[in-house]
Amino acid sequence: MSGVDKSRAEWLREQYPAIFDTTREGKLPVWAQFKLADLRNLLLAEAADNDGLRADIDRQEVTIDHLRRGSK
């Protein structure tokens, strides 16, 4: 992922702008509009989970570093 402090959701919006662009959705059947909305919601939920897991990993790495320094 490029950029420091960029959330996964921001990265997804930059990498896949067509998925998040709703300007032409009115021409689609209603069922397709709902499917696309569900897809976007799923992607953003997964992105939030990803961000949370990355934060957990960072905290664990800090803890491990502190433990290693203390054992020397």
Side-chain angles (χ1 to χ4, degrees), residues 9-26 28 32-33 35-41 43-44:
E10 290 170 329
W11 182 85
L12 284 171
R13 284 187 177 105
E14 289 176 5
Q15 294 298 309
Y16 304 102
I19 292 174
F20 296 96
D21 181 10
T22 60
T23 55
R24 297 185 293 169
E25 277 187 29
L28 295 173
Q33 293 176 33
K35 294 293 181 183
L36 284 173
D38 287 345
L39 173 64
R40 283 191 292 272
N41 288 335
L43 283 172
L44 294 175

